């Protein structure tokens, strides 16, 4: 199956939602290349970026599930070229 490289940017404005975010990321951990989390204490929020190599539908599932969590925003940016078969 063809996969894509993407970055999912996540803003967690409700710290109580952190557990739900981590659970989703754990469920899709096999696709995650790397993760960077930045606590922004002055604004009481967390910024997370996820580098991922997965089929487009899987990337959309992850971003969709994250975006449905109250207090969480998620946006995806795709590479222009497919990464190949996985």
């Amino acid at each position: 199956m063809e996969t894509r490289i993407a970055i999912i940017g996540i803003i967690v404005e409700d710290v109580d939602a952190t557990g739900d975010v981590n659970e989703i990321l754990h469920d899709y951990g096999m696709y995650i290349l790397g993760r960077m989390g930045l606590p922004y204490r002055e604004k009481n929020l967390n910024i997370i970026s996820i580098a991922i190599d997965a089929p487009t539908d899987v990337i959309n599932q992850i971003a969709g599930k994250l975006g449905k969590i109250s207090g969480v925003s998620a946006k995806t940016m795709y590479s222009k070229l497919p990464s190949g078969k996985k």
Side-chain angles (χ1 to χ4, degrees):
M1 174 175 277
E2 190 172 281
T3 63
R4 302 276 310 266
I5 303 292
I7 299 290
I8 301 175
I10 307 162
I11 304 290
V12 181
E13 295 176 338
D14 180 359
V15 293
D16 293 333
T18 305
D20 294 333
V21 170
N22 285 328
E23 184 176 328
I24 291 168
L25 297 179
H26 174 77
D27 291 345
Y28 291 93
M30 68 191 80
Y31 300 106
I32 294 174
L33 302 172
R35 169 182 175 166
M36 179 178 63
L38 301 168
Y40 193 179
R41 290 179 181 85
E42 293 82 11
K43 300 286 184 177
N44 198 32
L45 57 83
N46 294 298
I47 304 162
I48 304 168
S49 63
I50 305 296
I52 191 165
D53 183 1
T56 303
D57 60 330
V58 171
I59 297 170
N60 291 335
Q61 286 173 15
I62 297 167
K65 288 180 179 183
L66 290 167
K68 288 180 182 177
I69 300 171
S70 179
V72 176
S73 300
K75 298 293 179 190
T76 306
M77 181 175 62
Y78 290 92
S79 67
K80 293 184 179 184
L81 301 173
S83 66
K85 299 195 184 237
K86 196 167 192 180

